[in-house]
Amino acid sequence: MRISNILYNKQMSFIFKIRFILYSFLLIIIFFLLYKAVVPSGKIIYAITPCDNSFFIQKLKPKDRLDKVDRKSCTQKIIGDPVYFDLNTQRTFNEADVTVTYRSSGENNVIEMGAQADARKNYRLHPLENKIIDSLNWNKISENGVTFLQKKKIYDNIDAFLNSLPSKSEIATYHYDLPPPTTISNYQPNNQPAIIKQPLCGSYQFYTYIDGPTAEFEFLFSDLNENKDADNVVLTLYDMRNNPVTARNILDERGREETRQAQDAGGLHVELTTLAPGFYKMEVATTDDIITTQILSSQKIISFINRLCLAKATNADLITLYADANEITASTLNPASLQKILVNHDVLNLSETYRQFSAPANEVLNKIQFAKNDIILSGAGVFSFSPESLHNPNYRKISKNQNLDSVNYIITHYQPQPSATGEWQTKILHFNLKNIFWYEHNYNFIFSIPGLIAGDGTDDYIEIKDIKIELQGRSLWEKIAQIFNI
Amino acid sequence: MKGNIYIITRELFYILTIALLIFSIMELLAPNIVQAYISLNLVLLLWLVNGMVLLMINKNKI
């Protein structure tokens, strides 16, 4: 054999070895990436501290509701409500166990965590801590993850309570769906149609009660044309199990977006003839450009749920609203709408734009009076334009400043625990991700601490030490079996 | 020895080119599948540096 042939063979052997190593390395990397994306076992764990830069559990946001990360202890304080973070995954999962290690300064009664449920940014919240329930020294019964508290021991077990419920006003719930009463005894329908002439902005929902053979609603809309997107209106009537009963819509084919010239956006007439008597929820889903200029209804009860946006209107007289929420929150974006709002006999001073102001409202029927509209009112309850229109079919839900004087029974999925203000606590929350919104490879989570306001002068906070998320979904074999019906 | 360095650099250039191509396709098909673990910018930088080294070695060879 010639020397040049030997050298050539030696070089080829060297090249082959190099290629084998490099290509094997690339293959391993590709398999690793595919393995991590597919998660063949269906189980994966992500964990971070505020010091970490994780691609999967992303940083808490927005920054103006957060303190700087303490690099020594690797913790971060939440100083404003709410705060969000995204969980980036390559595939969907069915369940998540979220472990949070945190401590609170003790000023905030309710700390909750949730996940975004739909595109309209509704969140499914789970309780982390409820100091109102924790501090109660009531008789406690716990069965199958449900806790029942009674001021005086009347019921021996939860079934006995559920089988003979006391008056609605004596019961409060917290993260527990107690089926609401379906009918109102001695209900007197309206002789005259109810008219709401106060313009309402954007989306809203209200409860109504239907007991007669027919019910009619008429909505008139106008379009402000301030934003660029099309302003469609979707009106949906739901029963109390949240099943849609009927829907109507108006498609925005008017154009003229961003011209800032208001125009008539038409109306919707809903005539219902075959509905079973009971409570229903009407939802108007639209953009902030759409103003409902008038609502005409044959039904007496029109109780707006949780939030009411009162649009700017000329020649507005003194506006009176009624609410059953035990705290009324007001905000405005319009400097001309800054004012003093009367909540029963207390003054709620709406003194700044882009900021929420709250006042307690401890009456059964709270009266809210103010002179200027273009404000947003909110609270955990219902709002109406007349006292006879106000009726909340749901049981009272415990909120951050709940007055429990008239409450004798509380039923909840929350497990009360001894107060641990200032101490690190680790809580595990279970989320069913099948009902959670997954958008652009992200699940969005929220920390909700009602009453925690950044820059309000009080040194209240929730400090996060770490977050661990254990995800569970279908394994690769289960997925293959499903595809091939094995 | 010099010949071996040239071969290693050249083979590294080939593999980085292939890796860059595969990673880009993977990213196009499933966004963030690669970026979650490996920075594509870093791979591109490595590929460029490697390419320049390869050119320099080649020049010296000529």
Side-chain angles (χ1 to χ4, degrees), chain A residues 12 28 87 131 164 236 262 264 275 286-287 294 350 388 416 437 447:
Chain A
M12 284 311 289
I28 288 167
L87 169 68
K131 285 201 173 66
S164 74
T236 315
D264 181 25
L275 288 182
T286 185
T287 65
Q294 184 177 292
L350 185 56
E388 60 275 9
F437 188 56
F447 281 107

Side-chain angles (χ1 to χ4, degrees), chain A residues 138-152:
Chain A
W138 293 9
N139 176 273
K140 187 175 92 174
I141 302 169
S142 289
E143 290 172 7
N144 305 321
V146 178
T147 303
F148 173 59
L149 296 131
Q150 44 190 337
K151 210 177 252 176
K152 284 181 193 166

